[in-house]
Amino acid sequence: MSSTNPTRLDETMGPNEASCPETILKLLTPTQNEHALDWRKRCLANLQRRSRKLQDGDRIKLAQPMKFTDGHEGDEFIVEKRGRRVVLRDPTSRLGYRIGGFMERAWTVVPQTKVHKTIFA
């Protein structure tokens, strides 16, 4: 095709980036193409990971430990929200860390036992 009519790509031509917005995914017509179905599945998995909710004070556990530039290696952190920004604090040292693409990584929220105040009437 000429420069005034650029090549038109579709999902069967091998897209590797799996961060398509949900609004675009909803516009796609049904397909039986194996590569396209795999790509759609990866896009939906990324959207689900990014939509997970975190609360200030949550304790999270990464699927694999990470090593940081200061030498610290850890897989459990406490979430500290500062507006839209998320800082992860080491539970023992209380030092703060940032992880690029954090919401797209594999992690889980560690359930915490909460002790409620006893009230005697």
Side-chain angles (χ1 to χ4, degrees), residues 70-86:
D70 66 353
H72 174 71
E73 188 170 335
D75 64 348
E76 278 200 33
F77 298 91
I78 296 173
V79 174
E80 184 178 290
K81 293 185 94 173
R82 296 179 181 170
R84 293 184 66 189
R85 224 169 145 193
V86 174

Side-chain angles (χ1 to χ4, degrees), residues 26 29 53 82 109 119 121:
K26 287 181 178 181
T29 57
K53 302 294 181 207
R82 296 179 181 170
V109 175
I119 301 173

Side-chain angles (χ1 to χ4, degrees), residues 25 33 48 50-51 60 67 70 83 87 92 98 100 109 119:
L25 288 173
N33 182 287
Q48 287 176 342
R50 279 191 232 131
S51 68
I60 58 112
K67 189 167 187 165
D70 66 353
V87 176
T92 53
R98 296 205 51 201
V109 175
I119 301 173

Side-chain angles (χ1 to χ4, degrees), residues 58-106:
D58 280 350
R59 182 181 286 250
I60 58 112
K61 182 170 180 66
L62 300 174
Q64 296 178 335
M66 288 194 73
K67 189 167 187 165
F68 295 90
T69 55
D70 66 353
H72 174 71
E73 188 170 335
D75 64 348
E76 278 200 33
F77 298 91
I78 296 173
V79 174
E80 184 178 290
K81 293 185 94 173
R82 296 179 181 170
R84 293 184 66 189
R85 224 169 145 193
V86 174
V87 176
L88 303 174
R89 295 224 173 264
D90 179 64
T92 53
S93 70
R94 306 298 291 172
L95 292 174
Y97 295 95
R98 296 205 51 201
I99 298 175
F102 170 68
M103 292 305 286
E104 295 163 5
R105 293 182 183 272

Side-chain angles (χ1 to χ4, degrees), residues 14-28:
N16 291 315
E17 185 67 33
S19 59
C20 183
E22 186 176 11
T23 54
I24 300 298
L25 288 173
K26 287 181 178 181
L27 295 174
L28 298 175

Side-chain angles (χ1 to χ4, degrees), residues 114-120:
K114 295 187 178 184
V115 178
H116 297 282
K117 184 177 178 181
T118 303
I119 301 173
F120 295 100

